[in-house]
Amino acid sequence: MDKLARYREIIRQLIFDYASHKPDNGQIETEAVIDLERDHYEVLHIGWDGVRRIHDSVVHIDIINDKVWIQDDGTSKPVAEALLEAGILHKDIVLDFHPAELRQYTDFAVS
């Protein structure tokens, strides 16, 4: 299996794992959104918490130029940590939720 196919499978499994955790409060469903054609992967919370409408991205990952870009991470277990544990290399992970000028200070890819 080539690197990108392996990364796609790791991310797909990770998305389904995060999507299996339903919030304790409200009537909120968790939804996995996977677009294999465009390499977009996301976990959403959708529903109601009392009178407040919930429609939030919990995890958003894209594959861009052979790297895994974490666009959003609203989890209690950091997505980057889970990706590393699953076998994705530091040099192939971009923390896009950090400004470009600050990424150089992380152990991850800049872009």
Side-chain angles (χ1 to χ4, degrees):
M1 180 183 295
D2 75 332
K3 179 178 92 167
L4 279 181
R6 189 168 56 84
Y7 282 7
R8 285 180 181 111
E9 182 58 24
I10 289 169
I11 294 166
R12 189 185 69 76
Q13 289 176 1
L14 184 73
I15 290 295
F16 283 128
D17 180 52
Y18 279 114
S20 70
H21 303 283
K22 186 179 179 332
D24 292 333
N25 56 318
Q27 295 178 326
I28 302 170
E29 296 300 319
T30 305
E31 185 174 301
V33 179
I34 296 176
D35 180 350
L36 295 173
E37 187 175 315
R38 293 173 192 82
D39 279 326
H40 298 297
Y41 308 85
E42 194 166 2
V43 176
L44 298 171
H45 282 171
I46 302 169
W48 291 91
D49 185 7
V51 296
R52 190 174 127 234
R53 176 70 175 157
I54 304 296
H55 189 273
D56 293 328
S57 175
V58 179
V59 176
H60 181 176
I61 301 171
D62 293 326
I63 297 177
I64 303 169
N65 297 326
D66 297 339
K67 294 197 177 175
V68 177
W69 290 67
I70 302 172
Q71 307 288 0
D72 191 20
D73 181 357
T75 66
S76 57
K77 178 181 181 184
V79 172
E81 183 180 306
L83 292 171
L84 289 169
E85 288 174 5
I88 295 180
L89 303 174
H90 276 90
K91 68 180 183 120
D92 289 335
I93 299 172
V94 178
L95 304 178
D96 199 34
F97 52 84
H98 288 312
E101 63 272 8
L102 296 181
R103 290 184 211 143
Q104 64 183 318
Y105 302 113
T106 71
D107 291 333
F108 297 94
V110 175
S111 64

